[in-house]
């Protein structure tokens, strides 16, 4: 599984940990919030914003219909795995089941993004490139592997604690040890991302149409067709280490932590069900055997 998927899962859990009411607010207003955010950054013309908002609303409708049921099924699988005691094989199965869900979300992202990209003026593309450069510069501080390991451990400890309650000393040490072994591939990932952005801007400068831009984004974000082999291997290693972390951390939970986790997962499941707005076809539960 790609490194992108493991990161996506962790980021999603971290955002959802902010609270179910916030999840509902952000999801229900996603087209508006997204439009405002992008407009603020690159100054869209009114007709661009109107047209793109319609495209975003169409994609969100598809997400409610196609993606939310699969997310709920995956969450049901996680709840079942938690109740069973975080068996490693179950967790590995869930990670495999998450990959096609990631791909589906990436495809929806492509469908939402390509229509806007082809309308950007040269000035707007320059603003977008400047934003990318500024973000890259923020991450270009001199590398300090030890500092990076400490920051990553603190981030995992904080995110896990949002779901289970405070971690005890031995749990914190477990997280430090396992996250320290994760591949340090951020510089290579940043370089790969910058290279793909350059290719995208070249296509836009050449006047590529929506179909060609969508095909490029699909290859980049869904198929990873230009991803270096070393980054693919790092993604596989990260996946294995995430499964190990989940299994060993899950086994360390006391009764209070386990109860809090199951309560939070149950609340999230109810929230996702409400966001569907209507009953959808039941998706088979992954890893239920």
């Amino acid at each position: 599984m790609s490194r992108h998927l493991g990161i996506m899962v962790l980021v999603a859990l971290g955002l959802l940990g902010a609270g179910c009411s916030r999840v509902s607010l952000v999801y229900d207003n996603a087209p508006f919030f997204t439009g405002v955010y992008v407009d603020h950054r690159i100054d869209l013309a009114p007709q661009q914003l109107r047209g793109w908002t319609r495209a975003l609303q169409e994609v969100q409708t598809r997400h409610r219909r196609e993606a939310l049921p699969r997310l709920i099924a995956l969450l049901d699988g996680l709840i079942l795995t938690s109740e069973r005691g975080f068996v490693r094989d179950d967790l590995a199965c869930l990670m495999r089941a998450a990959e096609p869900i990631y791909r589906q979300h990436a495809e929806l992202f492509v469908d939402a993004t390509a229509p806007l990209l082809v309308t950007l003026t040269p000035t707007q593309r320059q603003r977008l490139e400047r934003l990318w450069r500024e973000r890259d510069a923020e991450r270009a501080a001199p590398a300090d592997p030890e500092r990076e390991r400490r920051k990553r451990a603190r981030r995992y400890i904080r995110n896990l604690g949002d779901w289970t309650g405070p971690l005890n000393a031995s749990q914190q040490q477990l997280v430090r040890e396992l996250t320290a072994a994760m591949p340090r591939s951020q510089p290579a990932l940043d370089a790969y991302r910058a290279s793909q952005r350059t290719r995208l801007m070249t296509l836009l400068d050449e006047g590529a149409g929506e179909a060609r831009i969508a095909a490029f984004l699909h290859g980049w974000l869904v198929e990873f067709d230009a991803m270096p082999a070393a980054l693919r291997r790092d993604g596989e290693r990260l996946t294995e280490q995430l499964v190990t972390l989940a299994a060993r951390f899950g086994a360390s939970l006391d009764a209070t932590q386990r109860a809090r986790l199951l309560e939070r997962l149950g609340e999230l499941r109810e929230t996702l069900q409400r966001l569907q707005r209507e009953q959808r076809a039941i998706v088979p539960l992954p890893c239920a055997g």
Side-chain angles (χ1 to χ4, degrees), residues 219-230:
W220 173 11
L221 301 171
V222 180
E223 300 297 338
F224 308 114
D225 54 10
M227 178 176 283

Side-chain angles (χ1 to χ4, degrees), residues 138-157:
E138 292 173 357
R139 297 208 281 208
D144 182 343
E146 181 58 34
R147 181 171 177 269
E148 290 179 12
R149 283 194 291 269
R150 290 195 301 269
K151 287 179 61 178
R152 179 166 51 191
R154 286 196 297 269
R155 185 170 65 252
Y156 274 71
I157 289 170

Side-chain angles (χ1 to χ4, degrees), residues 30 88 92 106 152 158 183 196 199 205 267 276:
R88 182 183 175 86
R152 179 166 51 191
R158 181 179 64 250
Q196 292 296 91
R199 291 178 60 193
D205 289 340
E267 291 173 349
Q276 289 185 104

Side-chain angles (χ1 to χ4, degrees), residues 192-269:
Y192 164 67
R193 191 178 291 134
S195 174
Q196 292 296 91
R197 293 196 309 244
T198 298
R199 291 178 60 193
L200 172 62
M201 283 301 176
T202 298
L203 287 173
L204 293 174
D205 289 340
E206 293 173 350
E210 183 176 334
R212 193 175 172 195
I213 294 300
F216 171 77
L217 292 175
H218 183 88
W220 173 11
L221 301 171
V222 180
E223 300 297 338
F224 308 114
D225 54 10
M227 178 176 283
L231 274 179
R232 289 183 180 272
R233 290 192 296 270
D234 280 351
E236 294 169 358
R237 287 175 54 205
L238 177 61
T239 298
E240 288 296 315
Q241 289 163 344
L242 288 172
V243 170
T244 298
L245 173 59
R248 293 183 60 184
F249 179 73
S252 76
L253 297 179
D254 60 30
T256 300
Q257 290 172 322
R258 188 182 299 272
R260 175 181 168 85
L261 174 62
L262 290 171
E263 179 183 9
R264 295 293 307 281
L265 291 174
E267 291 173 349
L268 177 56
R269 188 192 187 284

